[in-house]
Amino acid sequence: AVLGAAVDSSEMVHLEDVAYFYGAVSDTAAQLVVDTLPNPNNDVDPQPGGRQEQEMDVELQTVAAPGAATVTLVLPPASEIFTTGIDHIVSQLPGLAAVSTSYGGCELQGLSTGDAQAAEQLIQQGNAEGQSWFTASGDSGADDCQTGAGPAVDFPSDIPEMVAVGGTETSAAFDTNGAMPAYALEAVWNDGQFGGAGGGGASTLFAKPPWQEGVSPADGARDLPDIALLSSPSPGMVADNTLAGQLSPNGGTSDAAPLSAGIFALLGDRLGGRLGGVTPTLYALGRLQGADAGIAPFHDITRGNITFNGVAGPSAGPGYDLASGWGSLDVVALAEAWPRAQPAADGGTVPADAGEADGGDVGADAGTGAGDGGADAGLAPYVPCAVLDCDGGSTCETVPEGPSACTVFCNPAGASTCATGTICAGSFDDAGTCVPGCNADSDCPTGQSCFTCTKSCYAKGDPSAQIGSACTSSANCATGGQCITAQDGLPGGYCTMPCDPQACPCPGRGSCQPIDQQGDYLCFAGCSQASDCRSGYVCQNLGGPQAICLPACQSDQDCQMSVGGSCDADAGVCVNLVDAGSPAAPDAGAGSADAGAADAGPAAADAGHAAATKSAPKGCGCGAAPGAGDGFAVGLLLLALADLRRRR
């Protein structure tokens, strides 16, 4: 499947473009299924080119997996890509083998740890159901924010359970049929400031996953990309996404992500099942690259860098690096090396070469059927733990059915036995597991501080900032804070942070306000009179626990689109409010099924499944009324990123 976004109704997808491509180029019989989700507010991507992006992604998935029966294009409202969109695929389309998305944005621009964790929990669920997820690492090199201010990486490619795909380029010669006769050396894709470059670097939101330990830099952070594929528009990948019958070259990591999804769907089909989360296995194979029985599933990229727009970026080098990951894929070698289980005499399964204490010989005898017409077709589904060499303090677990990881168990009620940088979360009925988190600043990577309300590490903020202060990014707010920008209906920006009325009150004059029916809360600037609010804002009483500072309304429509009632234009406040009821109580303690985030604080409680996802009103911004549901949801900060599409 391709996760896209709604565009103008007449431009959703031109079926004739895809049909021509299927017949003339990819020679596939795949059925294109367009799954358009409800969009009552006609929330569409405001940038041009959305249709072309999505047609290209669909077509390139089929290039990599020409035997696919169906390719599903999922089109949620533009502001709901990473909430409703992901949730729909995970919950309603669990049978999918592989999913790619080419949408994303800078993780430093309005994205909180709670929002990111909610999306990660959905991806973890998808992995457990057998889905493999792939995402473009961005087209702005080390400067993903495109500001020139410093290095940054892309969301959602920073989610550890998604395969972040960077870019390469080659100067290979092609024959008259447009084919590359043999593999030619690649370099990191970097066409300069006006051409684009593959993204990479260290996340500020996600801690280093176990499979990257000892491989990527010792920065305590999730590093990306994981792999890289051809992305330069010269020579580029051919697609039909303008006029039926008109082929044109395209570029960007938007090429690399759907190609990767197709490759791994094909690999899973060869092994007789779906692969689920593949990142742990990719890194296990990377550790063995060239060291055992000639296993070499990656083309190691050692040339080039992702310096971009004046921001210095990492360079490629031998082995894993932050410019190209492990490199590009030798797909035949990857298929031969990928672990799988062999039928046992008692009808059970035995991991192929899984018993070697040092993880050696993985797949050494598993690839003999690569070209023999299906000699290994009877093999049982692969065993991810076969290539994970866990130390004495951890156990390889696949729960349920994936993803696999080296898990350290702990007692949530007892003294912590977790390593620095992790906390004990109640992930199982009878035990907890050590997951990334913090109880103090010392648990966080250099340059970050612990926000104890969510037990999460954040980039250090501005200690002088208050709730309601003006801002242009979360860096202008206090540690743990996030900036709702003018684009989202709050002129001059507005510093806020997640809260809970009992467990985690707002600092200073902040007022903890319910923002939806799911029990999510945000801090707003509390007030008792007009002078308590900054210029352009009024003290608005919406029937909640306290009046708060919000933008002045200008018309009845400003109020009706959020809390009902009418606008007193002289005072700038909404009056005659409609009683919208009260939000449901938080279910932050609902159980341990949220993949290690049980104690991640109220902002993350089930947020991946039920966060309100509608765009903020552009006028009054009075959506913080209890139970309004159409106002400023926690997910809004995440959803605004959907407008930043990869350059093709």
Side-chain angles (χ1 to χ4, degrees), residues 333-345:
L334 182 73
E336 293 176 350
W338 202 268
R340 78 287 311 279
Q342 295 175 324

Side-chain angles (χ1 to χ4, degrees), residues 35-133:
D35 192 353
T36 304
L37 304 189
N39 189 4
N41 296 320
N42 192 33
D43 178 12
V44 299
D45 189 336
Q47 296 188 2
R51 172 183 65 80
Q52 288 88 346
E53 170 72 49
Q54 288 152 186
E55 289 179 11
M56 180 186 75
D57 288 0
V58 165
E59 292 168 2
L60 293 186
Q61 276 197 2
T62 63
V63 166
T70 61
V71 177
T72 302
L73 174 60
V74 179
L75 299 175
S79 66
E80 301 182 21
I81 296 176
F82 304 125
T83 51
T84 301
I86 294 179
D87 186 46
H88 179 78
I89 290 174
V90 170
S91 302
Q92 304 301 318
L93 306 172
L96 292 173
V99 185
S100 69
T101 184
S102 295
Y103 283 74
C106 178
E107 72 169 15
L108 299 182
Q109 294 179 337
L111 180 66
S112 74
T113 301
D115 295 329
Q117 287 176 340
E120 182 188 26
Q121 290 164 21
L122 285 171
I123 300 301
Q124 288 172 336
Q125 180 182 339
N127 285 172
E129 295 171 354
Q131 294 176 350
S132 305
W133 282 74

Side-chain angles (χ1 to χ4, degrees), residues 14-454:
H14 287 183
L15 297 177
E16 62 272 21
D17 291 355
V18 180
Y20 175 83
F21 185 87
Y22 278 3
V25 179
S26 69
D27 193 26
T28 181
Q31 175 188 2
L32 174 62
V33 178
V34 182
D35 192 353
T36 304
L37 304 189
N39 189 4
N41 296 320
N42 192 33
D43 178 12
V44 299
D45 189 336
Q47 296 188 2
R51 172 183 65 80
Q52 288 88 346
E53 170 72 49
Q54 288 152 186
E55 289 179 11
M56 180 186 75
D57 288 0
V58 165
E59 292 168 2
L60 293 186
Q61 276 197 2
T62 63
V63 166
T70 61
V71 177
T72 302
L73 174 60
V74 179
L75 299 175
S79 66
E80 301 182 21
I81 296 176
F82 304 125
T83 51
T84 301
I86 294 179
D87 186 46
H88 179 78
I89 290 174
V90 170
S91 302
Q92 304 301 318
L93 306 172
L96 292 173
V99 185
S100 69
T101 184
S102 295
Y103 283 74
C106 178
E107 72 169 15
L108 299 182
Q109 294 179 337
L111 180 66
S112 74
T113 301
D115 295 329
Q117 287 176 340
E120 182 188 26
Q121 290 164 21
L122 285 171
I123 300 301
Q124 288 172 336
Q125 180 182 339
N127 285 172
E129 295 171 354
Q131 294 176 350
S132 305
W133 282 74
F134 302 84
T135 177
S137 69
D139 293 353
S140 300
D143 182 30
D144 196 76
C145 292
Q146 304 177 35
T147 62
V153 298
D154 199 80
F155 177 87
S157 62
D158 54 356
I159 295 176
E161 291 78 11
M162 296 184 83
V163 179
V165 190
T168 71
E169 59 186 13
T170 182
S171 56
F174 291 79
D175 64 20
T176 55
N177 293 319
M180 187 187 298
Y183 175 75
L185 290 178
E186 297 167 275
V188 173
W189 172 45
N190 192 335
D191 289 337
Q193 181 174 350
F194 300 105
S203 171
T204 63
L205 293 177
F206 291 100
K208 189 176 298 298
W211 51 87
Q212 286 193 323
E213 293 288 351
V215 173
S216 67
D219 50 15
R222 187 311 198 228
D223 293 314
L224 56 149
D226 300 306
I227 57 174
L229 290 180
L230 285 174
S231 299
S232 174
S234 177
M237 296 291 173
V238 170
D240 183 330
N241 56 1
T242 52
L243 296 172
Q246 180 173 318
L247 302 177
S248 59
N250 294 265
T253 52
S254 288
D255 286 4
L259 287 171
S260 299
I263 288 169
F264 280 85
L266 199 65
L267 176 59
D269 187 68
R270 180 179 187 270
L271 297 177
R274 293 175 296 134
L275 301 180
V278 300
T279 43
T281 307
L282 283 173
Y283 279 78
L285 292 176
R287 293 173 190 266
L288 297 174
Q289 171 95 349
D292 185 88
I295 294 174
F298 305 104
H299 296 298
D300 194 8
I301 310 299
T302 60
R303 299 181 299 152
N305 61 64
I306 56 171
T307 295
F308 191 81
N309 195 28
V311 176
S315 297
Y320 180 86
D321 57 69
L322 300 184
S324 66
W326 287 109
S328 64
L329 301 175
D330 182 326
V331 181
V332 171
L334 182 73
E336 293 176 350
W338 202 268
R340 78 287 311 279
Q342 295 175 324
D346 60 358
T349 58
V350 178
D353 290 327
E356 299 293 333
D358 62 355
D361 286 336
V362 173
D365 63 353
T368 54
D372 61 6
D376 60 356
L379 294 178
Y382 83 115
V383 179
C385 282
V387 295
L388 292 183
D389 186 17
C390 299
D391 60 30
S394 59
T395 304
C396 185
E397 293 286 334
T398 304
V399 182
E401 303 173 358
S404 295
C406 294
T407 301
V408 178
F409 291 97
C410 56
N411 181 0
S416 177
T417 56
C418 297
T420 300
T422 63
I423 57 177
C424 190
S427 297
F428 299 93
D429 291 340
D430 55 353
T433 58
C434 297
V435 298
C438 64
N439 291 304
D441 289 351
S442 59
D443 294 334
C444 298
T446 302
Q448 297 188 18
S449 293
C450 183
F451 182 46
T452 55
C453 284
T454 60

Side-chain angles (χ1 to χ4, degrees), residues 524-621:
F524 288 84
C527 59
S528 58
Q529 54 190 358
S531 59
D532 292 336
C533 301
R534 73 182 216 236
S535 177
Y537 283 71
V538 298
C539 188
Q540 175 73 65
N541 189 334
L542 301 177
Q546 182 182 357
I548 55 177
C549 297
L550 289 173
C553 63
Q554 299 177 6
S555 69
D556 290 348
Q557 183 179 5
D558 292 340
C559 298
Q560 291 167 358
M561 68 189 303
S562 55
V563 298
S566 57
C567 177
D568 180 343
D570 293 333
V573 299
C574 296
V575 295
N576 302 320
L577 305 180
V578 174
D579 182 6
S582 300
D587 62 350
S592 58
D594 282 345
D599 61 354
D606 290 333
H609 296 274
T613 56
K614 297 181 180 178
S615 295
K618 301 302 181 185
C620 176

